[in-house]
Amino acid sequence: MQQQTVQQTVEENTRSTIVAPLDPVQKPFVWIGAILALLLFITIVSVTTFTQGVLFLIGLAFGLVLLHARFGFTSAFRRLISVGNVQGLQAHMLMLAVATTLFAIILGTGFSFTGNAPQGYVFPVGISVVFGSFIFGIGMQLGSGCASGTLYTVGGGKSSMILTLLGFIGGSVLGAYHIGFWRETPTLPAISLAESTGFGYFGGWILQLAIFLGIYGITVKLARMKNPPKMAPLKTTTGLKKLWRGAWPLLLAAVILGVLNAITLAVRGNPWGITSAFALWGSKFIQMFGVDVASWTYWSSDPAPLNQTVLADSTSVMNFGIILGAFIAASFQGNFKPGKIKPGIGAASIIGGVLMGYGARLAFGCNIGAYFGGIASFSLHGWVWMIMALAGTYLALFLRPMFGMKNPNPKDSIC
C-alpha cells in the first residue's frame, strides 16, 4: 500500500498535464485560422510546388505540437540552470534520440520522399559558432523564447513575442550584413560524428545514443540531489478531445517533434530550420528602400531568394505554418488572449530578439537548425551550440531581473 502511494506521488510530481476545466473554444478564431490555412495552402501550391504545400502542412503540425505541449527550449535551459529542474532537458534528449535514429536511416540510405537528396546540418566549429550560440543563449532568456518559441507564442497570442520577432528579424539582417567578417575568423572544419570519425551512421548513432543516455543519467542524479520544483502541469481533458482541446504530455511531444523533423529532412532534403527566413524577410524589406543586399557576402552565393516570392522559400512557408498551427491550437484551447506589454518586458523582448537573430546567423542556426537539427545530423557544432547557449543562459539569469523578469527559485512549489 505504501509502495503504491509513493508511486502515485512520483507520477503526480513528474507528469506534465493534469485534467482540469478548460476555457471555452474560441470558435471564430478557429474558423479564421482554418480558412487562412486552407487559402495559404492553395496559394502556395498554385504559385510554387506541391512540395512547398506539404512543407506548409508540416509547419502546421509543428505549430500544433509546440503549442499543445508548450514545448520549450528557453524554459528548459532556464529551469535547468536556475533550480536544477531537468524535465525539459530530458524531453530534449528523447526528442534528439528519436530524430538521430531516423536521421541515421535517412542520411545513411539517401531516402527521400521527393527526390531531394537528404543533407544534414553539419557546419564548421569556430569563433563565430561559439560567440553566436553564446549570445543566442542570452537573447532567448531576455526575449522569453527561442526561434520556435517565438513563432508558436506569436501564434498563441503572447503580445510581447511580436517585439521579439521584430528584433529577431532585425538581428538576422545585421548578422547577414556582418557575416563576411565572421567567416574570416579562426575555425575548424565541419565535423560529423558519423562521417568524419569513420564510425559511419550506425557507429555515430550508437555514439550519440550513449551521449543521450549519459546526459539523461546525469539529469536523474541532479534531480535527486537538488530536488527542484516541478514544472507546472498544463490543463488537459479526457478522451479524444485531448487531440484538439487539452495539453499534450511533454514526452509525447518530444517524440512527435523528432518524427516531424525526420519527415522534413525526407521531404525537402534538409532538416527543420527557422531563422534563415528571418534574414530573408528583413533583407527583402530593406531592399525595397534601395539597399543593395545582394552584394553582401551572405547573399552573393545565392541571391535568387531575394527576387522570388517568400512562398518559394521552404523555411518561410514552414514558419507561416507554425504560426497558424499554434493559432488554431490556442483557439481550440480558448487561450488566444493577447495582453498589454510592460515597458521592461518590451525592451527585453527587442534586445533578446536582436541577440538571437545576430547569434543565429553566426552559429549556422538557432535552437532548431543548430541544436536540434545539428545534433540529429551528427554535427559537432550542434553540441558546441548547446554548451555555449547554456553558458549564455547562465549569464542571462543575472540580466533578467533588470527588466522586471523573474527567474525560477528553489523555494517555489512549481517552476
Side-chain angles (χ1 to χ4, degrees):
M1 187 71 174
Q2 184 178 2
Q3 183 178 359
Q4 189 176 23
T5 303
V6 171
Q7 183 178 357
Q8 183 178 0
T9 302
V10 171
E11 290 176 354
E12 290 176 353
N13 287 338
T14 57
R15 65 187 179 188
S16 57
T17 61
I18 186 171
V19 177
L22 301 174
D23 293 329
V25 176
Q26 296 169 298
K27 292 183 180 179
F29 290 160
V30 172
W31 279 108
I32 289 172
I35 292 171
L36 285 176
L38 179 60
L39 291 176
L40 187 52
F41 173 76
I42 293 172
T43 302
I44 290 170
V45 172
S46 299
V47 302
T48 60
T49 64
F50 184 73
T51 298
Q52 289 289 90
V54 171
L55 289 169
F56 170 71
L57 295 180
I58 295 172
L60 279 174
F62 272 122
L64 289 168
V65 176
L66 290 166
L67 191 288
H68 274 297
R70 303 299 193 277
F71 196 94
F73 293 83
T74 302
S75 57
F77 281 16
R78 182 167 62 247
R79 293 185 183 112
L80 174 68
I81 297 297
S82 59
V83 297
N85 179 286
V86 298
Q87 290 173 274
L89 188 63
Q90 288 177 342
H92 291 184
M93 292 303 106
L94 175 60
M95 175 188 72
L96 288 168
V98 171
T100 295
T101 301
L102 297 175
F103 272 45
I105 297 171
I106 294 170
L107 294 172
T109 63
F111 176 81
S112 172
F113 287 120
T114 58
N116 295 321
Q119 292 184 329
Y121 286 153
V122 182
F123 296 108
V125 178
I127 290 176
S128 67
V129 170
V130 171
F131 181 71
S133 52
F134 178 71
I135 64 172
F136 192 100
I138 298 172
M140 68 181 185
Q141 298 304 332
L142 295 181
S144 296
C146 51
S148 54
T150 296
L151 291 181
Y152 92 75
T153 50
V154 164
K158 189 174 181 180
S159 302
S160 64
M161 300 310 291
I162 296 175
L163 299 179
T164 301
L165 178 58
L166 292 175
F168 220 138
I169 294 171
S172 296
V173 173
L174 187 61
Y177 177 67
H178 286 162
I179 200 66
F181 166 79
W182 290 103
R183 287 182 180 173
E184 296 299 320
T185 56
T187 184
L188 296 172
I191 299 174
S192 165
L193 298 181
E195 295 183 302
S196 304
T197 58
F199 293 155
Y201 283 106
F202 180 74
W205 173 68
I206 295 295
L207 173 61
Q208 293 219 136
L209 284 187
I211 296 174
F212 300 145
L213 286 172
I215 293 174
Y216 185 86
I218 292 172
T219 62
V220 171
K221 291 183 178 180
L222 181 64
R224 288 174 180 170
M225 181 175 63
K226 286 185 170 288
N227 191 28
K230 304 299 180 183
M231 293 170 54
L234 302 174
K235 294 191 296 183
T236 190
T237 185
T238 58
L240 289 177
K241 286 192 295 184
K242 277 186 178 181
L243 293 176
W244 62 89
R245 281 286 282 144
W248 296 357
L250 189 63
L251 296 182
L252 173 62
V255 173
I256 297 175
L257 290 173
V259 172
L260 286 175
N261 202 350
I263 293 173
T264 302
L265 174 61
V267 170
R268 76 170 185 169
N270 294 116
W272 180 24
I274 289 179
T275 56
S276 64
F278 298 162
L280 175 62
W281 301 348
S283 295
K284 286 177 73 68
F285 178 75
I286 64 173
Q287 185 178 241
M288 293 190 299
F289 297 93
V291 179
D292 185 18
V293 296
S295 65
W296 297 356
T297 301
Y298 183 84
W299 292 113
S300 59
S301 61
D302 183 21
L306 294 171
N307 302 313
Q308 299 173 343
T309 170
V310 293
L311 298 182
D313 177 57
S314 59
T315 303
S316 292
V317 297
M318 290 188 71
N319 286 355
F320 299 150
I322 292 169
I323 294 172
L324 270 175
F327 173 71
I328 293 170
S331 301
F332 267 120
Q333 292 185 347
N335 291 333
F336 186 80
K337 300 173 182 178
K340 295 181 180 179
I341 305 173
K342 295 180 180 180
I345 300 298
S349 298
I350 295 172
I351 295 170
V354 171
L355 288 174
M356 285 192 287
Y358 194 85
R361 297 280 52 78
L362 272 56
F364 298 101
C366 56
N367 60 295
I368 299 302
Y371 175 42
F372 186 6
I375 290 178
S377 300
F378 303 91
S379 179
L380 180 62
H381 99 285
W383 289 106
V384 173
W385 193 100
M386 175 187 177
I387 293 169
M388 295 310 302
L390 283 169
T393 293
Y394 177 79
L395 176 59
L397 293 180
F398 296 97
L399 302 177
R400 282 169 55 87
M402 299 178 186
F403 298 92
M405 308 169 77
K406 295 182 178 179
N407 295 319
N409 189 295
K411 295 180 181 180
D412 294 336
S413 58
I414 55 175
C415 64

